[in-house]
Structures are given as C-alpha cells and as structure tokens.
Amino acid sequence: MAWGGFLLGGDRMVFLVREALTEEDRAAWRRVSVRWQKLPRRGYGLFLCLWLAMKLLGVFLTGYGGVILYWTGAEDPGLFAGVLRAIIALYAIGGGGWLLLTLPRPPKRPGKQPVQEPVLIIRTVFFGDGCFMIWNASERVRLGYSSITAAWEDEGRFYLFFQDRPPLILPKRGFTGGTPEEFRGLLERELEWFVERIK
C-alpha cells in the first residue's frame, strides 16, 4: 500500500511519500548501483593521459633547451643571436624541469564507490524550506538538502545519495498528490543543481 501527497501551505511546498520497494524497484537499484560504483573511474583514463602528456612535455622541453644550449656553444652565431638562443634554452630547460619536478606521482586507479543497501520501506516528507524527514523502523531523521551528494532520476524512480547513510529510492508512483515534475523542481531549487536523468 502506498500513499503520497503534495501540499501547499502558504508559500511552502510539502511532498509526502510512503512506499515499499517492489522487485522491479530493486532490479532498477542494482543497475543504478553499478553505475554509481563506476563513477569515480569515469575520468581516470583522461586524467592519466593528461599526466603522461605533461611529463613528456617536460622531457621534451628540457631536451630541446639542452640541444639549443649545446649548439649555441658549438658555433659562433654572434652576440645577439647567441644571447637570444641562451635565453630560449634556459627558459626551455627551466620550464621542462619545473614540469618534471612539480607534477605529483601518477594518479592511483580509484576503487569502487561504496554503496549501502537502500532503505526498503520509505516514509519521507520533503519540505520547501531546506529540510526533509525520513522514517524507518529504527529512526526518524531530519536532514538538510545539503546532505544529498547526488540526485538521479529514471523512468519510474528518484535516487538520492548521501555521504554517510543509505541511499533513498523514491518510486514516482508514491507521488499521488503532486507530480514527479513538481518534485524534481523542488529538488533542483533546494539543491541548486539539476537532477541527472539516467536510463
């Protein structure tokens, strides 16, 4: 049994949701949790390539500066050209050396993002004044929207992720009084960033 509602109290919005997750919700959560676990590794390849490119640029600049300095001493290009070559060589060696010495160690490959099991029976109230409440069998918690680290949405559910507590799955069928679009608007206003749409 599910009940939900959307209330307007003055200028305050309140969403009520109560829902027990079905097997379909759990299957959707398994797909989403795999995506969440891969998230830290998404940009790892690009970051590693950038790190290698900077190291190679440092080696190239240092070698280029050394070659220019060597040829400046090996021939007599004249005073002005010799000084100019020496300055270019020193800048190249200095820039290459700076890149080689200041870049940190190569980035480590990140592990999987830890994901706790979601709350299976959801009783929540979302207020339009910066906070929301969650009930379960053992606790009643009041949280601020700032505790949400990510908000995703698929065809039938919203997924709210937190830093130090289990995620929330909110089936859209629980919003009987208000629409999912209105709830998404409330989330985006409170979070000040967009809810990510996933497949």
Side-chain angles (χ1 to χ4, degrees), residues 18-189:
R18 175 177 171 168
E19 190 64 71
L21 300 185
T22 64
E23 188 52 45
E24 183 184 351
D25 296 325
R26 295 180 190 189
W29 164 247
R30 287 191 287 272
R31 290 191 300 271
V32 168
S33 64
V34 169
R35 180 187 175 116
W36 180 255
Q37 288 174 338
K38 290 179 179 177
L39 196 60
R41 295 178 286 175
R42 185 182 291 175
Y44 172 73
L46 179 62
F47 187 59
L48 184 61
C49 288
L50 180 62
W51 183 87
L52 287 171
M54 295 302 285
K55 280 290 189 185
L56 289 174
L57 179 62
V59 171
F60 170 77
L61 286 174
T62 305
Y64 178 71
V67 168
I68 291 177
L69 204 57
Y70 172 77
W71 284 112
T72 300
E75 59 184 40
D76 186 15
L79 181 62
F80 178 74
V83 169
L84 184 62
R85 284 185 188 180
I87 291 173
I88 292 171
L90 290 174
Y91 267 106
I93 292 171
W98 180 81
L99 280 174
L100 290 173
L101 294 174
T102 58
L103 279 177
R105 292 183 176 184
K108 292 182 179 178
R109 187 173 184 85
K112 289 185 176 181
Q113 183 95 340
V115 179
Q116 301 179 39
E117 283 298 313
V119 177
L120 299 181
I121 299 175
I122 303 131
R123 297 178 183 86
T124 55
V125 182
F126 291 87
F127 302 101
D129 60 357
C131 67
F132 60 99
M133 298 187 73
I134 304 171
W135 285 264
N136 61 30
S138 60
E139 63 177 353
R140 175 179 172 177
V141 182
R142 185 181 179 97
L143 298 170
Y145 288 95
S146 60
S147 65
I148 299 173
T149 58
W152 293 358
E153 174 189 7
D154 66 11
E155 196 63 37
R157 288 152 289 273
F158 288 96
Y159 304 89
L160 303 183
F161 295 89
F162 304 90
Q163 186 69 40
D164 55 358
R165 60 177 301 108
L168 269 181
I169 303 175
L170 302 172
K172 292 180 180 179
R173 62 184 179 272
F175 298 104
T176 56
T179 66
E181 290 74 23
E182 290 168 327
F183 180 67
R184 184 191 313 117
L186 170 69
L187 277 181
E188 290 178 347
R189 281 192 302 276

